[in-house]
Amino acid sequence: MTNKTLLGLAARLVKENAFTEDEARSAILAANTQNISLPTYLVEQSIITSRQLAEITSREFGLPVLDIYAIDLQGIATDLVPIKLIKKHQMIPLRSKGKNLFIAVTDPTQELALEDFRFNTGLIIHPIIVEEGKLGKTIDKIADSYD
């Protein structure tokens, strides 16, 4: 493994004793190999719970955590982007206010995905952290309502 310093979420997870540096590097490599985000990999492999991950991510990036199940799906801003974009990036546009769009995410470091939302809406994007498992189920419900 490389001796590169861990950054962002991986560094925070090591700091909070979720796993060792070597385990973090292995997880990053495995997530990249599977072409999935680090949070998705960690939850799928039961390395950390969805709730723990959301709380740690919130602390690392100074972003709020939201229980996506507490949101009325009728009031979310899905009319601003195509469902294809929501499914592709696993992010949900929650609410727009003025020139701002609040988006439910599990990994706020996915800059290309956030930029895609910014490009498609012309709005300033504000990530809100949600639990990995709940986000996927909520996206499925939203997708079902499009059918």
Side-chain angles (χ1 to χ4, degrees):
M1 294 266 165
T2 179
N3 283 332
K4 265 181 122 177
T5 302
L6 293 173
L7 301 173
L9 181 58
R12 174 60 83 142
L13 290 165
V14 169
K15 182 179 177 183
E16 298 211 11
N17 298 315
F19 46 57
T20 67
E21 281 192 41
D22 285 341
E23 290 169 330
R25 285 188 178 84
S26 293
I28 292 167
L29 181 62
N32 288 340
T33 300
Q34 294 178 30
N35 200 29
I36 59 175
S37 70
L38 180 60
T40 299
Y41 177 81
L42 296 173
V43 172
E44 283 181 358
Q45 297 299 312
S46 301
I47 294 169
I48 192 167
T49 69
S50 205
R51 182 69 194 166
Q52 290 170 315
L53 182 63
E55 291 170 357
I56 292 169
T57 303
S58 171
R59 286 193 296 275
E60 176 61 23
F61 296 101
L63 297 170
V65 175
L66 173 73
D67 181 354
I68 194 84
Y69 286 173
I71 298 293
D72 177 9
L73 295 182
Q74 300 301 318
I76 63 174
T78 55
D79 58 323
L80 296 176
V81 296
I83 187 65
K84 181 173 89 175
L85 191 67
I86 293 169
K87 290 168 82 174
K88 175 183 176 184
H89 295 305
Q90 293 294 291
M91 297 179 176
I92 300 173
L94 297 171
R95 179 173 185 227
S96 65
K97 185 171 184 178
K99 294 184 178 193
N100 300 291
L101 179 61
F102 300 88
I103 297 189
V105 305
T106 58
D107 182 0
T109 66
Q110 294 181 313
E111 285 298 320
L112 292 176
L114 294 171
E115 180 58 35
D116 211 359
F117 275 87
R118 193 174 2 259
F119 177 79
N120 277 275
T121 64
L123 300 173
I124 299 165
I125 304 302
H126 300 278
I128 308 276
I129 305 300
V130 297
E131 292 180 48
E132 176 78 30
K134 289 182 179 182
L135 180 66
K137 289 176 184 171
T138 303
I139 289 172
D140 290 344
K141 283 183 187 177
I142 293 167
D144 287 347
S145 72
Y146 274 78
D147 296 336

